[in-house]
Every structure is written in C-alpha cells, then in structure tokens.
Amino acid sequence: MKKVLSMFLLMILVIFTLTNGQAIALDKVETSNGGETLSFFKSIELIEEEKSYIPIWRFLEAVEGELASNSKSLTIIKEDRWLKFAHDDQTVETSSGDVHQEKVFFKDENIYIPIKYVAKYFGYDVQFIQEETQPSTNPLKGDLENDMIPKMEQEVVVKVEEKPQPRKVYLTFDDGPNEHIDLILNTLAEKQAKATFFMLEPLMAKYSDSVKRLVAEGHYPALHSVTHDRNKLYYGDPLNVAKEMEKTRQTLLELTGVDSKLTRVPYGSKPFMKDPLRNGLVENGFKMWDWTVDTVDWKYQKSNPRMIVENVKAGIENLKNGNEPIVILMHVNKGTASVLPEIIDYIHGLGLECAPYDPNHHTSVNFWQDDRL
C-alpha cells in the first residue's frame, strides 16, 4: 500500500493560481525516466527570437530557487548550481564554468528568462499547456486503492481564494542618481518595496551601474530632464521640455533597454507647464506626473529629517479614504535615505503596497488635470 501511495503522489500535478484566478505555474512532476517536468500555462509565455521566455519569479516559485542580483548581473541559484546572466554583454556563466550567449530582458516590470534553457540546466523539462482542466473529484480524498487508475490521469486544481488587492502607494525620487542612490536601493530591497525614479540625464550617464541596478530590481526608471534649469526649460522654444525629455529617454534606453515615456518636470508642472509646453510632451508621446504628497525633503533633509516622516504621515492620512492616487515626492539625498525605512514601515503598517509606476495602467497625476498626460 505504501509503495502504491508513493507512486500515486509523485504523479499528482498541482496547479497554483494567482489571486485573480489565472493559473500561473504547475508543480514538479516526476516522469518515468526519473526526471521532472515543469508545466506553465501558455498565457504567461512570451516568444523572442523563437525562444520561450517567462517571468523569472514564476520559475523560482516552481523550483524553490533563489535570486541574487547587482548592477551588473542576476544569478539564479538552486542548491549547489547557479546561472549568472550579465546585463551588458548578454552572456550567461554557469556554475560548471561555461560561458556563452544567452539573454534576459525586462518587460512590464518583470525580468524574463529563457525558460527552456534555464530549466534544462537545473534538470527539468518544460511543457506549456493551453488551459486549466477541472477534475470531477479530488484524488487526495476517498479510497486511494479503489480509485487509483482513473485519478492518475487527472490534474488536481488547488484554488487560492481571491483576496482584495492592497491600495498602492507610489514612492517617487527626483534628482538622482547620485552617491546616495545605493543606500535607498538597499532599503527598498530589504523592505520589499518598489519605487519610481525620475532621473537627470547627466547623472544617469555618471551612475550608470545604479541605473541598471534599479531596473534589475523592479523599480521604474523615469525622466526628469537634462539641465533642471527653469530658464532653459520653460522659456523660449515651447518644445524645450520635450527635447530635454527625449534626450533623457534616449540615454536611459541605451543604458537599460527600457523605453520610458514617464516624465516629471523640475519644480512641478505649475505654473510653468502652460498649454504649448504640455502640447509638446503630448505630441512626442510623453506622460507627466506631479505628486499628491509633498515631503518637502529638500528643505528638511539636513536640518530636520523627522519632518519628512511627519509630512508623509499627514499626506497619506489626507488621502487614504479617497480615490486620489498616493504619489509621494522625495529626492535622492542623505536625509531622505536615513528615514526611508521608517516611512516604508509606516506604509506597510497601514496595509498599503509600495508599487512602481506601471506604464500599462497609467493614471493621470498632474496639477493641470490634463488627461492627455
């Protein structure tokens, strides 16, 4: 009986579901030759250059693997084996000492990996299935001996009850990157929080490793101009803002492969961004965010960082019962970095989620209430 039961349990295929009900990954299943197969629903697959890619976290969840990353690479680890993907030259190094061409890429806030290559290296086969199948009974219940044969052909579906999604808070950081960026990124990683960074073009070039790191760690890179000079941006040619944002966009694209169209203009959009300047952004496909919570950290970061925390609390308190997006304005500086852990703990304590900007679900947040942006 024990032997039969053991064989039966090895054949059970468990489907996990996201909170929205969409099946995402299937557990490991032992095959007749002693190997294991990972199954994924076809809806999560992306095809690039005739290869199948899936989000890295889906693979890690299925095999209980680990991820290590820095500004230059990301490494998938399972037990004593690992694969290290280099961001710059699209190579992969294996724990066996081999190096060859293989890439990962970023899309829709996910890191995508070549699933068949990765799975094979860690000892798995991969299959994609079209849709979920519903068993008539649960083979984990009832008489295993009497019902053994028909149930071995079925898939066991384990449903996860839908849970309400926590309200999102958008931590946004202006004027970086600079020497304080890695401290902020370390805190975000430790607290499992995501953010959006509005960056200056010359500083992106200077701190390119930090830009690549923040993208690799799931934060959203956005545009904050080249000069940060109100006279150069807001006077003269009405396309000045759009031109500076385009140059910033091109530099970011060259560094990371991310084509970001989200901008925040220096000093905020009022009173400077009158119709001609906003028209220039719209005509060039840009979006524009201001903020709904001002920490005034530029003023207090040296003299009284505690005020930054208090301003966050007051701002969220004013917004938490409404529908307006909670977009918090901060800057990449030492004072803000020092109180960021407390700010994130406060947000999480309210049951809110620190999320990055999602270009696929843009929400208009600008002082002019211009829905085009």
Side-chain angles (χ1 to χ4, degrees):
M1 173 65 181
K2 288 184 179 179
K3 183 176 180 180
V4 173
L5 179 58
S6 175
M7 291 176 60
F8 172 69
L9 292 176
L10 286 171
M11 292 295 294
I12 294 177
L13 188 59
V14 183
I15 301 175
F16 293 91
T17 62
L18 286 169
T19 55
N20 66 4
Q22 179 188 1
I24 57 169
L26 301 160
D27 210 354
K28 303 184 290 292
V29 180
E30 186 159 328
T31 60
S32 58
N33 63 3
E36 291 181 322
T37 299
L38 299 177
S39 297
F40 300 91
F41 283 102
K42 206 156 185 65
S43 58
I44 72 167
E45 179 187 21
L46 289 179
I47 304 296
E48 282 274 325
E49 300 174 350
E50 300 183 348
K51 288 187 179 181
S52 297
Y53 289 77
I54 69 167
I56 188 171
W57 67 269
R58 299 189 190 276
F59 175 77
L60 295 173
E61 181 181 73
V63 305
E64 299 179 334
E66 298 178 2
L67 175 66
S69 67
N70 56 40
S71 60
K72 297 183 181 296
S73 65
L74 63 86
T75 304
I76 301 171
I77 306 165
K78 179 170 171 57
E79 298 172 349
D80 61 345
R81 309 200 81 187
W82 52 262
L83 290 173
K84 181 185 288 186
F85 291 87
H87 300 315
D88 291 336
D89 56 5
Q90 296 187 352
T91 60
V92 60
E93 178 185 358
T94 76
S95 53
S96 308
D98 300 320
V99 178
H100 58 272
Q101 293 295 127
E102 199 70 60
K103 73 173 182 177
V104 297
F105 65 95
F106 308 97
K107 182 180 176 65
D108 301 336
E109 314 306 325
N110 279 304
I111 302 171
Y112 281 79
I113 59 171
I115 180 58
K116 293 184 179 179
Y117 167 78
V118 173
K120 182 178 180 181
Y121 184 75
F122 288 101
Y124 304 100
D125 292 325
V126 170
Q127 66 176 348
F128 287 96
I129 60 176
Q130 202 64 40
E131 60 186 359
E132 178 178 339
T133 59
Q134 296 284 352
S136 58
T137 59
N138 186 342
L140 294 178
K141 297 179 181 179
D143 188 338
L144 293 178
E145 275 190 313
N146 293 340
D147 296 335
M148 179 71 65
I149 294 176
K151 288 174 181 176
M152 287 179 67
E153 300 300 323
Q154 295 174 342
E155 296 171 354
V156 182
V157 180
V158 180
K159 293 288 185 182
V160 178
E161 290 185 10
E162 270 194 44
K163 297 180 181 178
Q165 293 294 317
R167 187 174 179 188
K168 290 179 171 56
V169 172
Y170 299 96
L171 302 174
T172 68
F173 295 90
D174 286 11
D175 294 358
N178 57 35
E179 64 271 22
H180 305 297
I181 185 72
D182 285 333
L183 181 57
I184 289 174
L185 291 175
N186 291 345
T187 297
L188 292 169
E190 178 185 350
K191 299 293 184 180
Q192 298 184 337
K194 303 300 182 186
T196 302
F197 290 86
F198 291 90
M199 296 179 287
L200 296 167
E201 190 271 342
L203 293 179
M204 284 197 298
K206 182 177 181 180
Y207 294 92
S208 59
D209 285 349
S210 295
V211 177
K212 293 172 185 176
R213 177 188 171 186
L214 72 87
V215 170
E217 294 181 1
H219 308 294
Y220 192 79
L223 319 174
H224 197 45
S225 81
V226 177
T227 65
H228 205 286
D229 185 327
R230 71 183 71 189
N231 292 319
K232 293 180 179 178
L233 284 163
Y234 304 127
Y235 301 101
D237 188 344
L239 290 178
N240 281 346
V241 175
K243 288 177 179 178
E244 288 206 14
M245 296 304 180
E246 176 60 19
K247 183 175 181 181
T248 309
R249 183 190 74 83
Q250 288 287 350
T251 297
L252 177 63
L253 183 62
E254 291 168 7
L255 288 174
T256 67
V258 176
D259 189 5
S260 176
K261 293 297 186 72
L262 182 65
T263 71
R264 173 176 287 160
V265 296
Y267 313 106
S269 68
K270 273 196 173 181
F272 302 110
M273 289 294 292
K274 295 181 172 59
D275 278 345
L277 293 168
R278 298 204 309 279
N279 291 343
L281 288 180
V282 172
E283 291 164 5
N284 285 275
F286 291 110
K287 300 296 183 181
M288 181 182 73
W289 259 18
D290 285 307
W291 54 86
T292 57
V293 176
D294 190 352
T295 64
V296 200
D297 61 343
W298 60 270
K299 179 178 180 180
Y300 294 114
Q301 67 104 0
K302 291 183 179 180
S303 61
N304 188 6
R306 288 294 317 160
M307 281 300 300
I308 302 172
V309 181
E310 296 307 314
N311 288 338
V312 168
K313 291 180 178 180
I316 292 178
E317 184 66 28
N318 288 336
L319 296 172
K320 69 179 184 181
N321 295 322
N323 296 319
E324 191 174 4
I326 303 175
V327 179
I328 301 176
L329 170 65
M330 293 181 284
H331 296 78
V332 180
N333 59 51
K334 185 177 180 180
T336 298
S338 71
V339 296
L340 183 60
E342 183 178 352
I343 290 172
I344 295 174
D345 287 344
Y346 171 75
I347 292 169
H348 286 171
L350 295 175
L352 307 175
E353 175 190 358
C354 296
Y357 170 78
D358 182 353
N360 296 315
H361 298 91
H362 175 75
T363 300
S364 181
V365 183
N366 67 79
F367 299 146
W368 294 89
Q369 298 183 342
D370 188 336
D371 291 338
R372 301 175 302 165
L373 294 166

